[in-house]
Amino acid sequence: MSNFSSRLIAWQRRHGRHDLPWLGADAYLVWLSEIMLQQTQVATVIPYYLRFIASFPTIAALAEASEEQVLAHWSGLGYYARGRNLHRAAQIIMEKHRGEFPRQYRQILELPGIGRSTAAAICALALHERRAILDGNVKRVLARYCGIEGWAGEKKVEEKLWSQAEALLPPPCRGRVGEGVEVINASTPILAFPLHGGRDLSAANSHIATYTQALMDMGATLCTRGKPKCERCPVQSDCVAFQEGRIGELPTPRPRKVVPEKHATFLLLLHGNDILLEKRPGSGIWGGLWCPLQFDDEESARNWFVQNGMAASEGERLEAFSHTFSHFRLHIAPLKIRLAHKPLLAAQPGSVWLDVEEALRAAIPAPVRVLLGKLSGDASRAACMKKAWNDRARTP
Ligand code: SF4
């Protein structure tokens, strides 16, 4: 057992996270958690994960669901391509692997939305296969521990990190459990690993799961982006960044570049309690989700409104807000228009009139949820006021 890996495993046993709902789960659930955890914090993921598995407890259930249902469960988690890929991958597993999550690394890697590190994490955590991972947190840990300079987005730097990730893996164990094989956690399992009969090598390698979880836990709880807790770190004695006082420099940040700014006008067309939403194309931002009509500016929105023969009974500019995507910032000016009459356009393909409350349960992005939440509040307040007036009118 290498020094680095044995210290990490021992640390995980005493101080790692042992209450994550996907620990010791099967490959399907580990896959789901890994996809949700890409770009998203554990605390945010847990309620989404629990709701998701309650609705789609098996790969078959996920494959049979509509994309609409899957995205509704993803709504608010961001990076919606993850949800669409998960759904598509479940269908491929049903078609090509008879509904069984594939057990070969290459087959896992072929599924949409699964990259090298995610495939390796599934192999290590669920199948106990000796594979190196390199997610964002692990890149930070290794850049500091090994003193690797350069932005991890550069190919050369990434290759160095991968080769360190592989070099630091615990050595493979061979043979059957109980036959003199060193299995760190065989007697006191840290994670509830399902050990299958006939998978002796897997059982012998089960410490790879603990090691992988240790790396993840360390990146999330000790070797954090700001103010790492080096005083509690099990590898502090030979961490290059700590020993050379370079923690503030490593990992090397992404070269600064100006984030492009874009502007849009959201047209919130309302009739009674209904709002007109349109489905976004499958690719691009908020792909496949329901959004209000979007225009480049207010003038384009007005032109469209006039060209479609609509008549407003009232209109209001709502407070503008910004939403930051990975590659640009979008400034959104919402325009709320109450229509005098519901137009026939309602039946246009790709658009739908939905009750605001119902829309809040549909697959919509987080900023639209906030906007509709405000409209829903307005509608409830209006309903209360109307009731109060009516009640007063009835009071003798
Ligand atoms: Fe990270 Fe500090 Fe540990 Fe080095 S000593 S790996 S910087 S937590």
PDB file of all heavy atoms in Angstrom, residues 181-214:
ATOM      1  N   VAL A 181      -4.716 -11.982   1.833  1.00  0.00           N
ATOM      2  CA  VAL A 181      -4.727 -10.764   1.032  1.00  0.00           C
ATOM      3  C   VAL A 181      -4.946  -9.585   1.961  1.00  0.00           C
ATOM      4  O   VAL A 181      -5.785  -9.637   2.860  1.00  0.00           O
ATOM      5  CB  VAL A 181      -5.899 -10.822   0.023  1.00  0.00           C
ATOM      6  CG1 VAL A 181      -5.985  -9.520  -0.745  1.00  0.00           C
ATOM      7  CG2 VAL A 181      -5.719 -11.991  -0.893  1.00  0.00           C
ATOM      8  N   GLU A 182      -4.189  -8.531   1.742  1.00  0.00           N
ATOM      9  CA  GLU A 182      -4.377  -7.350   2.579  1.00  0.00           C
ATOM     10  C   GLU A 182      -5.597  -6.576   2.078  1.00  0.00           C
ATOM     11  O   GLU A 182      -5.611  -6.083   0.963  1.00  0.00           O
ATOM     12  CB  GLU A 182      -3.149  -6.446   2.504  1.00  0.00           C
ATOM     13  CG  GLU A 182      -3.286  -5.247   3.411  1.00  0.00           C
ATOM     14  CD  GLU A 182      -2.232  -4.191   3.124  1.00  0.00           C
ATOM     15  OE1 GLU A 182      -1.620  -4.258   2.058  1.00  0.00           O
ATOM     16  OE2 GLU A 182      -2.045  -3.333   3.964  1.00  0.00           O
ATOM     17  N   VAL A 183      -6.622  -6.557   2.864  1.00  0.00           N
ATOM     18  CA  VAL A 183      -7.815  -5.790   2.515  1.00  0.00           C
ATOM     19  C   VAL A 183      -8.091  -4.874   3.689  1.00  0.00           C
ATOM     20  O   VAL A 183      -8.557  -5.292   4.733  1.00  0.00           O
ATOM     21  CB  VAL A 183      -9.037  -6.705   2.266  1.00  0.00           C
ATOM     22  CG1 VAL A 183     -10.232  -5.865   1.869  1.00  0.00           C
ATOM     23  CG2 VAL A 183      -8.713  -7.729   1.200  1.00  0.00           C
ATOM     24  N   ILE A 184      -7.793  -3.625   3.467  1.00  0.00           N
ATOM     25  CA  ILE A 184      -7.814  -2.667   4.574  1.00  0.00           C
ATOM     26  C   ILE A 184      -9.124  -2.696   5.342  1.00  0.00           C
ATOM     27  O   ILE A 184      -9.143  -2.672   6.544  1.00  0.00           O
ATOM     28  CB  ILE A 184      -7.589  -1.257   4.001  1.00  0.00           C
ATOM     29  CG1 ILE A 184      -6.170  -1.181   3.505  1.00  0.00           C
ATOM     30  CG2 ILE A 184      -7.922  -0.192   5.029  1.00  0.00           C
ATOM     31  CD1 ILE A 184      -5.225  -0.417   4.324  1.00  0.00           C
ATOM     32  N   ASN A 185     -10.242  -2.743   4.598  1.00  0.00           N
ATOM     33  CA  ASN A 185     -11.505  -2.573   5.309  1.00  0.00           C
ATOM     34  C   ASN A 185     -12.357  -3.838   5.295  1.00  0.00           C
ATOM     35  O   ASN A 185     -13.559  -3.781   5.367  1.00  0.00           O
ATOM     36  CB  ASN A 185     -12.305  -1.414   4.698  1.00  0.00           C
ATOM     37  CG  ASN A 185     -12.595  -1.659   3.256  1.00  0.00           C
ATOM     38  OD1 ASN A 185     -11.978  -2.533   2.661  1.00  0.00           O
ATOM     39  ND2 ASN A 185     -13.517  -0.900   2.704  1.00  0.00           N
ATOM     40  N   ALA A 186     -11.725  -5.007   5.190  1.00  0.00           N
ATOM     41  CA  ALA A 186     -12.527  -6.220   5.103  1.00  0.00           C
ATOM     42  C   ALA A 186     -13.265  -6.514   6.405  1.00  0.00           C
ATOM     43  O   ALA A 186     -14.393  -6.965   6.394  1.00  0.00           O
ATOM     44  CB  ALA A 186     -11.651  -7.404   4.746  1.00  0.00           C
ATOM     45  N   SER A 187     -12.630  -6.247   7.544  1.00  0.00           N
ATOM     46  CA  SER A 187     -13.281  -6.585   8.805  1.00  0.00           C
ATOM     47  C   SER A 187     -14.216  -5.469   9.272  1.00  0.00           C
ATOM     48  O   SER A 187     -15.241  -5.725   9.867  1.00  0.00           O
ATOM     49  CB  SER A 187     -12.236  -6.870   9.869  1.00  0.00           C
ATOM     50  OG  SER A 187     -11.372  -5.763   9.967  1.00  0.00           O
ATOM     51  N   THR A 188     -13.829  -4.231   9.007  1.00  0.00           N
ATOM     52  CA  THR A 188     -14.683  -3.114   9.438  1.00  0.00           C
ATOM     53  C   THR A 188     -14.970  -2.233   8.227  1.00  0.00           C
ATOM     54  O   THR A 188     -14.337  -1.216   8.021  1.00  0.00           O
ATOM     55  CB  THR A 188     -13.968  -2.256  10.497  1.00  0.00           C
ATOM     56  OG1 THR A 188     -12.670  -1.935   9.991  1.00  0.00           O
ATOM     57  CG2 THR A 188     -13.868  -2.932  11.824  1.00  0.00           C
ATOM     58  N   PRO A 189     -15.915  -2.687   7.406  1.00  0.00           N
ATOM     59  CA  PRO A 189     -16.147  -1.933   6.169  1.00  0.00           C
ATOM     60  C   PRO A 189     -16.563  -0.498   6.460  1.00  0.00           C
ATOM     61  O   PRO A 189     -17.347  -0.242   7.365  1.00  0.00           O
ATOM     62  CB  PRO A 189     -17.275  -2.695   5.479  1.00  0.00           C
ATOM     63  CG  PRO A 189     -17.796  -3.655   6.462  1.00  0.00           C
ATOM     64  CD  PRO A 189     -16.844  -3.783   7.582  1.00  0.00           C
ATOM     65  N   ILE A 190     -15.985   0.411   5.698  1.00  0.00           N
ATOM     66  CA  ILE A 190     -16.322   1.816   5.870  1.00  0.00           C
ATOM     67  C   ILE A 190     -17.622   2.096   5.143  1.00  0.00           C
ATOM     68  O   ILE A 190     -18.500   2.768   5.611  1.00  0.00           O
ATOM     69  CB  ILE A 190     -15.204   2.684   5.267  1.00  0.00           C
ATOM     70  CG1 ILE A 190     -13.920   2.391   6.014  1.00  0.00           C
ATOM     71  CG2 ILE A 190     -15.551   4.149   5.342  1.00  0.00           C
ATOM     72  CD1 ILE A 190     -12.712   2.867   5.277  1.00  0.00           C
ATOM     73  N   LEU A 191     -17.713   1.553   3.966  1.00  0.00           N
ATOM     74  CA  LEU A 191     -18.905   1.752   3.166  1.00  0.00           C
ATOM     75  C   LEU A 191     -19.573   0.398   3.053  1.00  0.00           C
ATOM     76  O   LEU A 191     -18.925  -0.628   3.117  1.00  0.00           O
ATOM     77  CB  LEU A 191     -18.527   2.264   1.773  1.00  0.00           C
ATOM     78  CG  LEU A 191     -17.537   3.416   1.755  1.00  0.00           C
ATOM     79  CD1 LEU A 191     -17.119   3.733   0.348  1.00  0.00           C
ATOM     80  CD2 LEU A 191     -18.148   4.636   2.398  1.00  0.00           C
ATOM     81  N   ALA A 192     -20.862   0.403   2.914  1.00  0.00           N
ATOM     82  CA  ALA A 192     -21.569  -0.882   2.864  1.00  0.00           C
ATOM     83  C   ALA A 192     -21.458  -1.473   1.479  1.00  0.00           C
ATOM     84  O   ALA A 192     -22.365  -1.395   0.675  1.00  0.00           O
ATOM     85  CB  ALA A 192     -23.029  -0.655   3.233  1.00  0.00           C
ATOM     86  N   PHE A 193     -20.315  -2.078   1.135  1.00  0.00           N
ATOM     87  CA  PHE A 193     -20.121  -2.596  -0.207  1.00  0.00           C
ATOM     88  C   PHE A 193     -20.902  -3.874  -0.418  1.00  0.00           C
ATOM     89  O   PHE A 193     -20.835  -4.770   0.398  1.00  0.00           O
ATOM     90  CB  PHE A 193     -18.643  -2.924  -0.442  1.00  0.00           C
ATOM     91  CG  PHE A 193     -17.769  -1.718  -0.387  1.00  0.00           C
ATOM     92  CD1 PHE A 193     -16.691  -1.699   0.449  1.00  0.00           C
ATOM     93  CD2 PHE A 193     -18.056  -0.618  -1.154  1.00  0.00           C
ATOM     94  CE1 PHE A 193     -15.888  -0.585   0.508  1.00  0.00           C
ATOM     95  CE2 PHE A 193     -17.263   0.487  -1.096  1.00  0.00           C
ATOM     96  CZ  PHE A 193     -16.167   0.513  -0.253  1.00  0.00           C
ATOM     97  N   PRO A 194     -21.625  -3.959  -1.515  1.00  0.00           N
ATOM     98  CA  PRO A 194     -22.260  -5.230  -1.824  1.00  0.00           C
ATOM     99  C   PRO A 194     -21.217  -6.172  -2.425  1.00  0.00           C
ATOM    100  O   PRO A 194     -20.723  -5.925  -3.513  1.00  0.00           O
ATOM    101  CB  PRO A 194     -23.326  -4.848  -2.859  1.00  0.00           C
ATOM    102  CG  PRO A 194     -22.861  -3.553  -3.452  1.00  0.00           C
ATOM    103  CD  PRO A 194     -21.875  -2.932  -2.516  1.00  0.00           C
ATOM    104  N   LEU A 195     -20.791  -7.180  -1.709  1.00  0.00           N
ATOM    105  CA  LEU A 195     -19.788  -8.109  -2.222  1.00  0.00           C
ATOM    106  C   LEU A 195     -20.504  -9.311  -2.794  1.00  0.00           C
ATOM    107  O   LEU A 195     -21.254  -9.983  -2.097  1.00  0.00           O
ATOM    108  CB  LEU A 195     -18.849  -8.531  -1.090  1.00  0.00           C
ATOM    109  CG  LEU A 195     -18.105  -7.389  -0.397  1.00  0.00           C
ATOM    110  CD1 LEU A 195     -17.207  -7.943   0.687  1.00  0.00           C
ATOM    111  CD2 LEU A 195     -17.300  -6.574  -1.379  1.00  0.00           C
ATOM    112  N   HIS A 196     -20.274  -9.569  -4.067  1.00  0.00           N
ATOM    113  CA  HIS A 196     -20.995 -10.657  -4.720  1.00  0.00           C
ATOM    114  C   HIS A 196     -20.140 -11.911  -4.724  1.00  0.00           C
ATOM    115  O   HIS A 196     -18.931 -11.851  -4.877  1.00  0.00           O
ATOM    116  CB  HIS A 196     -21.329 -10.283  -6.165  1.00  0.00           C
ATOM    117  CG  HIS A 196     -22.145  -9.041  -6.234  1.00  0.00           C
ATOM    118  ND1 HIS A 196     -23.425  -9.004  -5.792  1.00  0.00           N
ATOM    119  CD2 HIS A 196     -21.834  -7.796  -6.662  1.00  0.00           C
ATOM    120  CE1 HIS A 196     -23.893  -7.777  -5.961  1.00  0.00           C
ATOM    121  NE2 HIS A 196     -22.942  -7.034  -6.474  1.00  0.00           N
ATOM    122  N   GLY A 197     -20.798 -13.038  -4.570  1.00  0.00           N
ATOM    123  CA  GLY A 197     -20.074 -14.301  -4.647  1.00  0.00           C
ATOM    124  C   GLY A 197     -19.443 -14.429  -6.012  1.00  0.00           C
ATOM    125  O   GLY A 197     -20.025 -14.024  -7.006  1.00  0.00           O
ATOM    126  N   GLY A 198     -18.242 -14.988  -6.072  1.00  0.00           N
ATOM    127  CA  GLY A 198     -17.575 -15.185  -7.348  1.00  0.00           C
ATOM    128  C   GLY A 198     -16.838 -13.950  -7.824  1.00  0.00           C
ATOM    129  O   GLY A 198     -16.172 -14.011  -8.846  1.00  0.00           O
ATOM    130  N   ARG A 199     -16.950 -12.820  -7.118  1.00  0.00           N
ATOM    131  CA  ARG A 199     -16.222 -11.624  -7.529  1.00  0.00           C
ATOM    132  C   ARG A 199     -15.124 -11.353  -6.514  1.00  0.00           C
ATOM    133  O   ARG A 199     -15.070 -10.322  -5.869  1.00  0.00           O
ATOM    134  CB  ARG A 199     -17.147 -10.419  -7.655  1.00  0.00           C
ATOM    135  CG  ARG A 199     -18.095 -10.523  -8.826  1.00  0.00           C
ATOM    136  CD  ARG A 199     -18.821  -9.220  -9.075  1.00  0.00           C
ATOM    137  NE  ARG A 199     -17.902  -8.100  -9.215  1.00  0.00           N
ATOM    138  CZ  ARG A 199     -17.231  -7.800 -10.324  1.00  0.00           C
ATOM    139  NH1 ARG A 199     -17.353  -8.567 -11.376  1.00  0.00           N
ATOM    140  NH2 ARG A 199     -16.427  -6.750 -10.353  1.00  0.00           N
ATOM    141  N   ASP A 200     -14.240 -12.382  -6.371  1.00  0.00           N
ATOM    142  CA  ASP A 200     -13.246 -12.311  -5.317  1.00  0.00           C
ATOM    143  C   ASP A 200     -12.282 -11.143  -5.511  1.00  0.00           C
ATOM    144  O   ASP A 200     -11.933 -10.453  -4.573  1.00  0.00           O
ATOM    145  CB  ASP A 200     -12.462 -13.616  -5.242  1.00  0.00           C
ATOM    146  CG  ASP A 200     -13.402 -14.764  -4.958  1.00  0.00           C
ATOM    147  OD1 ASP A 200     -14.283 -14.585  -4.103  1.00  0.00           O
ATOM    148  OD2 ASP A 200     -13.274 -15.796  -5.604  1.00  0.00           O
ATOM    149  N   LEU A 201     -11.892 -10.932  -6.781  1.00  0.00           N
ATOM    150  CA  LEU A 201     -10.941  -9.862  -7.032  1.00  0.00           C
ATOM    151  C   LEU A 201     -11.574  -8.520  -6.662  1.00  0.00           C
ATOM    152  O   LEU A 201     -10.943  -7.664  -6.073  1.00  0.00           O
ATOM    153  CB  LEU A 201     -10.524  -9.865  -8.505  1.00  0.00           C
ATOM    154  CG  LEU A 201      -9.413  -8.884  -8.838  1.00  0.00           C
ATOM    155  CD1 LEU A 201      -8.171  -9.186  -8.020  1.00  0.00           C
ATOM    156  CD2 LEU A 201      -9.091  -8.943 -10.317  1.00  0.00           C
ATOM    157  N   SER A 202     -12.879  -8.399  -6.989  1.00  0.00           N
ATOM    158  CA  SER A 202     -13.583  -7.173  -6.656  1.00  0.00           C
ATOM    159  C   SER A 202     -13.559  -6.958  -5.151  1.00  0.00           C
ATOM    160  O   SER A 202     -13.281  -5.875  -4.661  1.00  0.00           O
ATOM    161  CB  SER A 202     -15.025  -7.258  -7.156  1.00  0.00           C
ATOM    162  OG  SER A 202     -15.796  -6.286  -6.535  1.00  0.00           O
ATOM    163  N   ALA A 203     -13.845  -8.032  -4.396  1.00  0.00           N
ATOM    164  CA  ALA A 203     -13.865  -7.898  -2.944  1.00  0.00           C
ATOM    165  C   ALA A 203     -12.484  -7.506  -2.433  1.00  0.00           C
ATOM    166  O   ALA A 203     -12.339  -6.641  -1.579  1.00  0.00           O
ATOM    167  CB  ALA A 203     -14.306  -9.214  -2.314  1.00  0.00           C
ATOM    168  N   ALA A 204     -11.449  -8.176  -3.007  1.00  0.00           N
ATOM    169  CA  ALA A 204     -10.097  -7.881  -2.562  1.00  0.00           C
ATOM    170  C   ALA A 204      -9.714  -6.443  -2.860  1.00  0.00           C
ATOM    171  O   ALA A 204      -8.941  -5.837  -2.151  1.00  0.00           O
ATOM    172  CB  ALA A 204      -9.116  -8.836  -3.244  1.00  0.00           C
ATOM    173  N   ASN A 205     -10.302  -5.900  -3.941  1.00  0.00           N
ATOM    174  CA  ASN A 205      -9.970  -4.532  -4.316  1.00  0.00           C
ATOM    175  C   ASN A 205     -10.911  -3.510  -3.701  1.00  0.00           C
ATOM    176  O   ASN A 205     -10.924  -2.360  -4.110  1.00  0.00           O
ATOM    177  CB  ASN A 205     -10.028  -4.388  -5.843  1.00  0.00           C
ATOM    178  CG  ASN A 205      -8.677  -4.691  -6.458  1.00  0.00           C
ATOM    179  OD1 ASN A 205      -7.648  -4.529  -5.816  1.00  0.00           O
ATOM    180  ND2 ASN A 205      -8.699  -5.149  -7.694  1.00  0.00           N
ATOM    181  N   SER A 206     -11.744  -3.942  -2.726  1.00  0.00           N
ATOM    182  CA  SER A 206     -12.772  -3.024  -2.252  1.00  0.00           C
ATOM    183  C   SER A 206     -12.170  -1.787  -1.608  1.00  0.00           C
ATOM    184  O   SER A 206     -12.832  -0.771  -1.492  1.00  0.00           O
ATOM    185  CB  SER A 206     -13.728  -3.719  -1.284  1.00  0.00           C
ATOM    186  OG  SER A 206     -13.014  -4.124  -0.142  1.00  0.00           O
ATOM    187  N   HIS A 207     -10.885  -1.853  -1.195  1.00  0.00           N
ATOM    188  CA  HIS A 207     -10.278  -0.663  -0.617  1.00  0.00           C
ATOM    189  C   HIS A 207     -10.161   0.456  -1.649  1.00  0.00           C
ATOM    190  O   HIS A 207     -10.019   1.615  -1.291  1.00  0.00           O
ATOM    191  CB  HIS A 207      -8.905  -0.989  -0.026  1.00  0.00           C
ATOM    192  CG  HIS A 207      -7.929  -1.479  -1.037  1.00  0.00           C
ATOM    193  ND1 HIS A 207      -7.957  -2.767  -1.512  1.00  0.00           N
ATOM    194  CD2 HIS A 207      -6.928  -0.851  -1.676  1.00  0.00           C
ATOM    195  CE1 HIS A 207      -6.996  -2.901  -2.412  1.00  0.00           C
ATOM    196  NE2 HIS A 207      -6.361  -1.762  -2.531  1.00  0.00           N
ATOM    197  N   ILE A 208     -10.254   0.116  -2.957  1.00  0.00           N
ATOM    198  CA  ILE A 208     -10.186   1.166  -3.971  1.00  0.00           C
ATOM    199  C   ILE A 208     -11.393   2.108  -3.827  1.00  0.00           C
ATOM    200  O   ILE A 208     -11.287   3.301  -4.064  1.00  0.00           O
ATOM    201  CB  ILE A 208     -10.103   0.583  -5.415  1.00  0.00           C
ATOM    202  CG1 ILE A 208      -9.797   1.681  -6.423  1.00  0.00           C
ATOM    203  CG2 ILE A 208     -11.383  -0.125  -5.810  1.00  0.00           C
ATOM    204  CD1 ILE A 208      -8.443   2.286  -6.309  1.00  0.00           C
ATOM    205  N   ALA A 209     -12.525   1.527  -3.422  1.00  0.00           N
ATOM    206  CA  ALA A 209     -13.708   2.374  -3.219  1.00  0.00           C
ATOM    207  C   ALA A 209     -13.464   3.339  -2.065  1.00  0.00           C
ATOM    208  O   ALA A 209     -13.808   4.527  -2.150  1.00  0.00           O
ATOM    209  CB  ALA A 209     -14.933   1.512  -2.952  1.00  0.00           C
ATOM    210  N   THR A 210     -12.881   2.832  -1.005  1.00  0.00           N
ATOM    211  CA  THR A 210     -12.614   3.694   0.153  1.00  0.00           C
ATOM    212  C   THR A 210     -11.597   4.774  -0.209  1.00  0.00           C
ATOM    213  O   THR A 210     -11.748   5.940   0.164  1.00  0.00           O
ATOM    214  CB  THR A 210     -12.078   2.853   1.323  1.00  0.00           C
ATOM    215  OG1 THR A 210     -12.931   1.726   1.477  1.00  0.00           O
ATOM    216  CG2 THR A 210     -12.058   3.651   2.606  1.00  0.00           C
ATOM    217  N   TYR A 211     -10.588   4.371  -0.952  1.00  0.00           N
ATOM    218  CA  TYR A 211      -9.559   5.337  -1.369  1.00  0.00           C
ATOM    219  C   TYR A 211     -10.179   6.435  -2.250  1.00  0.00           C
ATOM    220  O   TYR A 211      -9.930   7.626  -2.061  1.00  0.00           O
ATOM    221  CB  TYR A 211      -8.445   4.610  -2.133  1.00  0.00           C
ATOM    222  CG  TYR A 211      -7.479   5.559  -2.791  1.00  0.00           C
ATOM    223  CD1 TYR A 211      -6.514   6.220  -2.047  1.00  0.00           C
ATOM    224  CD2 TYR A 211      -7.556   5.817  -4.168  1.00  0.00           C
ATOM    225  CE1 TYR A 211      -5.630   7.116  -2.651  1.00  0.00           C
ATOM    226  CE2 TYR A 211      -6.687   6.699  -4.773  1.00  0.00           C
ATOM    227  CZ  TYR A 211      -5.724   7.352  -4.015  1.00  0.00           C
ATOM    228  OH  TYR A 211      -4.869   8.237  -4.611  1.00  0.00           O
ATOM    229  N   THR A 212     -11.027   6.015  -3.189  1.00  0.00           N
ATOM    230  CA  THR A 212     -11.668   6.971  -4.100  1.00  0.00           C
ATOM    231  C   THR A 212     -12.552   7.931  -3.315  1.00  0.00           C
ATOM    232  O   THR A 212     -12.533   9.147  -3.538  1.00  0.00           O
ATOM    233  CB  THR A 212     -12.503   6.199  -5.154  1.00  0.00           C
ATOM    234  OG1 THR A 212     -11.630   5.276  -5.791  1.00  0.00           O
ATOM    235  CG2 THR A 212     -13.124   7.115  -6.182  1.00  0.00           C
ATOM    236  N   GLN A 213     -13.311   7.365  -2.376  1.00  0.00           N
ATOM    237  CA  GLN A 213     -14.170   8.217  -1.554  1.00  0.00           C
ATOM    238  C   GLN A 213     -13.313   9.153  -0.703  1.00  0.00           C
ATOM    239  O   GLN A 213     -13.661  10.324  -0.491  1.00  0.00           O
ATOM    240  CB  GLN A 213     -15.073   7.343  -0.656  1.00  0.00           C
ATOM    241  CG  GLN A 213     -16.165   8.123   0.056  1.00  0.00           C
ATOM    242  CD  GLN A 213     -17.127   8.810  -0.910  1.00  0.00           C
ATOM    243  OE1 GLN A 213     -17.569   8.217  -1.899  1.00  0.00           O
ATOM    244  NE2 GLN A 213     -17.425  10.075  -0.665  1.00  0.00           N
ATOM    245  N   ALA A 214     -12.167   8.654  -0.231  1.00  0.00           N
ATOM    246  CA  ALA A 214     -11.267   9.478   0.591  1.00  0.00           C
ATOM    247  C   ALA A 214     -10.778  10.695  -0.197  1.00  0.00           C
ATOM    248  O   ALA A 214     -10.770  11.816   0.315  1.00  0.00           O
ATOM    249  CB  ALA A 214     -10.078   8.644   1.059  1.00  0.00           C
TER     250      ALA A 214
END
